[in-house]
């Protein structure tokens, strides 16, 4: 069992700071895992989580990897469980840099609007409060939110690089004389990046491994699955030693990492087959009924993403319907979805 802020030593200069699960009914925010690493004289932070206790754990972790004389904070994406303590980097007393994905800046400035959009898609699908009320309550769990600091810039202000790690090639950016590689992935949400620390072989997947199907409105299933395949190959070829992520509270060595990543891809294929079977049974599909049967099938297969709940199950199910090519017939809550007619109308 792990507790919020526990430190897992990967090596003498790399620590994983453990977060916690989301429990909305208990007013408990989820807190993403964060990485703390030293390369040369540079302290590298990957995400900063949320809550004062987690901030204190981050400070302890930075002390354990001394000495360092500069700091680099890398934000993997803009969700509140990853960014609330970002101003910490400006309090370390050394020259600092902080980078965030440009595509996530809007949601970091106005996270409530981002989550209203997410919940609008499942209004009437599962019994939840109205989207604005639910988003307001959810965001209140993450206060105080300090996603920006004095040194914050976007990755996209830097020249884009092509980064080959064995056979896989990624676009992204390098730091600390190439020891730190930020790789664009953009599956879990629009701006998502993953981070490879070449001098210790750690790859931090952040939230790209949260489940077989992305839940967010700006998720991209193809990108998500493509990056999982590329990272699996990276580990299979021996160019990664340890896999970490944002929410499973696990440190996976090379062979376990390959099995885990390949398993996520197999889950995605299995859930596609489930969704296809469910949608072929009816000409019209109501998202509420589909979501219930989709969740049952996932449970039967032993599948679950990070923070499993009715809310996230519904978000994944709606994304799966859209991925199969179905569209809502009207704008009403829980309106039926169907495949568009493909026949050419007569002249």
């Amino acid at each position: 069992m792990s507790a919020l802020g526990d430190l897992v030593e990967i090596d003498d200069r790399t620590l994983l700071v453990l977060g916690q699960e989301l429990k909305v009914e208990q007013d408990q925010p989820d807190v993403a895992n964060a990485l703390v690493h030293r390369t040369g004289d540079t302290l590298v932070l990957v995400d900063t989580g949320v809550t004062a206790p987690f901030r204190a754990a981050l400070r302890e972790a930075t002390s354990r990897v001394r000495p360092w004389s500069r700091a680099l904070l890398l934000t993997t994406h803009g969700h509140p469980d990853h960014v609330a303590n970002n101003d910490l980097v400006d309090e370390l007393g050394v020259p600092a840099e902080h980078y965030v994905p440009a595509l996530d800046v809007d949601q970091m400035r106005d996270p409530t609007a981002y989550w209203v959009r997410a919940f609008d898609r499942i209004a009437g699908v599962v019994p939840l409060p109205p989207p604005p009320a639910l988003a307001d309550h959810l965001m209140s769990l993450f206060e105080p939110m300090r996603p920006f600091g004095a040194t914050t810039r976007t990755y996209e202000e830097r020249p884009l690089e092509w980064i080959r790690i064995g056979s896989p090639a990624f676009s992204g950016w390098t730091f600390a004389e190439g020891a730190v590689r930020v790789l664009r992935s953009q599956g879990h949400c629009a701006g998502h990046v993953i981070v490879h620390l070449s001098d210790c072989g750690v790859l931090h997947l952040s939230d790209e491994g949260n489940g077989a199907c992305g839940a967010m409105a700006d998720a991209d299933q193809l990108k998500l699955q493509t990056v999982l395949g590329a990272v699996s190959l990276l580990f299979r070829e021996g160019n990664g030693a340890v896999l970490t992520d944002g929410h499973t509270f696990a440190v996976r060595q090379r062979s376990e990492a390959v099995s885990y990543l390949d398993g996520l891809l197999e889950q995605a294929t299995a859930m596609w087959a489930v969704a296809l079977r469910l949608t072929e049974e009816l000409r019209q599909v109501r998202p509420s009924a589909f979501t219930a049967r989709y969740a049952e099938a996932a449970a039967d297969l032993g599948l679950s993403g990070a923070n499993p709940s009715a809310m996230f199950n519904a978000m994944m199910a709606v994304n799966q319907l859209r991925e199969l090519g179905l569209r809502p017939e009207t704008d009403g809550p829980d309106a039926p979805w169907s495949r568009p007619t493909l026949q050419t109308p007569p002249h």
Side-chain angles (χ1 to χ4, degrees):
M1 296 294 293
S2 63
L4 177 69
D6 281 355
L7 304 182
V8 178
E9 183 174 299
I10 296 173
D11 59 33
D12 60 0
R13 52 182 175 154
T14 312
L15 298 167
L16 184 67
V17 187
L18 299 186
Q20 68 183 10
E21 293 183 357
L22 176 67
K23 296 181 180 179
V24 177
E25 67 284 356
Q26 299 176 23
D27 289 341
Q28 174 178 295
D30 58 329
V31 180
N33 302 333
L35 265 181
V36 176
H37 174 67
R38 175 176 54 82
T39 179
D41 64 349
T42 300
L43 170 70
V44 182
L45 300 171
V46 182
D47 291 337
T48 62
V50 63
T51 74
F54 195 77
R55 190 183 186 96
L58 279 176
R59 281 194 170 276
E60 179 184 348
T62 64
S63 296
R64 283 181 48 175
V65 299
R66 287 185 182 274
W68 36 264
S69 58
R70 61 184 64 248
L72 171 66
L73 169 58
L74 304 171
T75 292
T76 61
H77 62 292
H79 289 166
D81 53 313
H82 293 255
V83 304
N85 289 316
N86 278 355
D87 64 327
L88 173 65
V89 73
D90 297 323
E91 300 176 358
L92 297 174
V94 295
E97 297 177 86
H98 173 213
Y99 290 91
V100 303
L103 292 175
D104 286 359
V105 167
D106 286 346
Q107 65 151 301
M108 294 169 71
R109 286 176 172 157
D110 189 356
T112 300
Y114 177 85
W115 286 90
V116 167
R117 177 188 171 205
F119 298 146
D120 271 338
R121 297 157 55 246
I122 58 170
V125 178
V126 287
L128 294 171
L134 180 57
D136 283 337
H137 176 63
L138 184 65
M139 288 304 98
S140 73
L141 305 183
F142 294 88
E143 295 295 338
M145 281 283 296
R146 303 187 183 97
F148 303 109
T151 61
T152 305
R153 296 171 56 197
T154 62
Y155 295 111
E156 288 77 4
E157 295 175 53
R158 299 172 62 95
L160 188 66
E161 305 172 50
W162 281 100
I163 302 165
R164 187 171 291 280
I165 307 175
S167 297
F170 304 84
S171 61
W173 303 271
T174 58
F175 299 86
E177 299 180 346
V180 179
R181 298 155 168 173
V182 173
L183 314 173
R184 297 199 302 170
S185 55
Q186 300 179 342
H188 175 68
C189 66
H192 201 291
V193 300
I194 61 177
V195 178
H196 184 248
L197 306 174
S198 62
D199 52 0
C200 63
V202 172
L203 190 141
H204 189 65
L205 196 62
S206 194
D207 285 9
E208 295 294 19
N210 272 12
C213 180
M216 304 311 301
D218 56 342
D220 187 311
Q221 311 303 334
L222 175 59
K223 290 179 180 177
L224 190 157
Q225 292 160 20
T226 299
V227 77
L228 292 177
V231 173
S232 176
L233 179 58
L234 184 157
F235 274 90
R236 196 182 301 276
E237 292 183 342
N239 293 308
V242 174
L243 181 72
T244 58
D245 62 46
H247 290 283
T248 65
F249 316 127
V251 174
R252 295 179 172 88
Q253 304 299 320
R254 181 175 295 136
S255 60
E256 185 184 3
V258 171
S259 176
Y260 172 71
L261 293 163
D262 289 353
L264 287 174
L265 292 171
E266 291 168 3
Q267 290 174 18
T269 304
M271 290 311 298
W272 183 292
V274 165
L276 196 61
R277 173 174 55 80
L278 293 176
T279 56
E280 285 177 339
E281 292 174 0
L282 299 170
R283 188 185 71 81
Q284 293 180 323
V285 179
R286 289 201 177 271
S288 57
F290 174 81
T291 293
R293 297 178 67 184
Y294 187 79
E296 289 173 3
D300 289 343
L301 290 169
L303 311 183
S304 65
N307 301 316
S309 67
M311 178 176 72
F312 282 106
N313 285 341
M315 292 162 68
M316 287 188 288
V318 168
N319 277 357
Q320 186 74 76
L321 284 174
R322 189 168 294 278
E323 187 79 359
L324 291 181
L326 281 74
R327 297 293 182 267
E329 296 181 358
T330 68
D331 293 332
D334 200 29
W337 290 48
S338 60
R339 295 183 183 278
T341 300
L342 300 181
Q343 287 78 16
T344 302
H347 295 292

